[in-house]
Amino acid sequence: MKQTILIAEDEADIRNILKLYLESEDYAVVEAKDGEEALAAVQEHTLDLAILDIMMPKLDGFAVTQAIRRHSDIPILILSARSQDTDKILGLNLGADDYIAKPFNALEVVARVKAQLRRSQRVPPSCISINGLTLNTETCVVTKNDEPVLLTPTEYKMLSLLMRSPGRIFTKVQLSEAVNGVYFESDENTIMVHISKLREKIEDNPRKPARLVTIRGLGYRFEKK
C-alpha cells in the first residue's frame, strides 16, 4: 500500500512540483490550498506525513501543526519563506519534525520525506524485525507480515536465538543448549524436527527456506534480509 502525504500549500506551482516529485517516488498525495482544507484532509485520510507551508490562508502552518499534534504523531515537515531562527524554533517546538526554507530543491524535500518516514517506521527496541518477521522480546509475540504466528515455547526460544544474531551460524549443539540447557546426541533429530516445524510457520515456502537456512555441515542461520 502506498504511503500518503499531505501537501498543504497555497501556491499551486509549489504544490504541483512537490506532487510530481513525490508521486514519481510512488507516494500518494493529498493536496490542500489553505489551513482549513489541511485539517479536513487530516480527518478524511490516513496520512503518513504532512508537508505544511507556514503562510497559508485561514489557518497558518503553525496552527495546523498544533491541531495535528493533538491527535496524531505523523511526521510534519514545514516549508516557509521565513527562514529566521525564531520561526524554525517555534515550528519545532509546536511539534514539527523538520523545517525547510524556500526556495528549496524538490529533491531535497523528497529526501527529507524519506528520512522522516524511515524514522517513524523504526521498530521499537523491544522488537526484532527482519524480512517481514517481527519478534517482540517483551511480549514474546511473533508476527509475519503483521499476522500473528503461533509458536511453541521451544520454537520461540530457538527463533529468538537466531533472530537476535542474524547471519550467525548456530550448530545443533548450540540450539539444543539454548533451548534445553544441555545437549545429548539424541537431541539432534529433535532439533531438526523443531527447525522443520518452525519453517512451516515462518517461511513463505518451507521447502525453499529464505529466512531460516541450513548451512550444510555446520548448522542453521537466520538470514539478514
Side-chain angles (χ1 to χ4, degrees), residues 11 14 31 33 58 64 71 77 89 92 100 108 114 117 155 211 222:
E11 295 186 42
I14 293 179
E31 297 180 70
K33 64 179 181 295
K58 300 183 180 179
V64 176
H71 59 81
L77 194 158
I89 292 169
L92 296 172
I100 297 180
E108 180 184 355
K114 290 181 177 180
L117 290 173
E155 291 167 352
R211 295 182 174 93
F222 198 94

Side-chain angles (χ1 to χ4, degrees), residues 129-147:
S129 186
I130 307 171
N131 193 19
L133 200 70
T134 299
L135 183 147
N136 189 310
T137 58
E138 291 184 352
T139 63
C140 298
V141 172
V142 175
T143 58
K144 176 185 173 185
N145 298 325
D146 296 327
E147 294 294 326

Side-chain angles (χ1 to χ4, degrees), residues 181-192:
V182 66
Y183 173 76
F184 298 101
E185 290 185 3
S186 59
D187 290 342
E188 183 168 333
N189 288 336
T190 302
I191 292 297
M192 293 173 64

Side-chain angles (χ1 to χ4, degrees), residues 115-223:
Q116 290 298 330
L117 290 173
R118 283 196 299 269
R119 293 189 189 104
S120 68
Q121 292 170 347
R122 283 178 181 166
V123 180
S126 60
C127 294
I128 304 168
S129 186
I130 307 171
N131 193 19
L133 200 70
T134 299
L135 183 147
N136 189 310
T137 58
E138 291 184 352
T139 63
C140 298
V141 172
V142 175
T143 58
K144 176 185 173 185
N145 298 325
D146 296 327
E147 294 294 326
V149 178
L150 300 180
L151 302 179
T152 66
T154 297
E155 291 167 352
Y156 174 84
K157 290 178 184 177
M158 194 175 295
L159 181 63
S160 177
L161 178 68
L162 290 159
M163 288 187 68
R164 287 173 188 269
S165 300
R168 175 182 169 183
I169 299 172
F170 288 87
T171 66
K172 295 184 180 72
V173 174
Q174 290 171 320
L175 290 173
S176 181
E177 289 177 343
V179 171
N180 302 316
V182 66
Y183 173 76
F184 298 101
E185 290 185 3
S186 59
D187 290 342
E188 183 168 333
N189 288 336
T190 302
I191 292 297
M192 293 173 64
V193 171
H194 287 312
I195 291 290
S196 177
K197 295 292 185 183
L198 196 50
R199 284 175 171 158
E200 290 177 5
K201 297 178 180 181
I202 68 171
E203 297 286 358
D204 297 327
N205 183 353
R207 294 185 178 181
K208 296 181 179 180
R211 295 182 174 93
L212 179 47
V213 300
T214 299
I215 307 302
R216 190 172 300 276
L218 295 175
Y220 303 94
R221 178 179 69 201
F222 198 94
E223 296 287 49

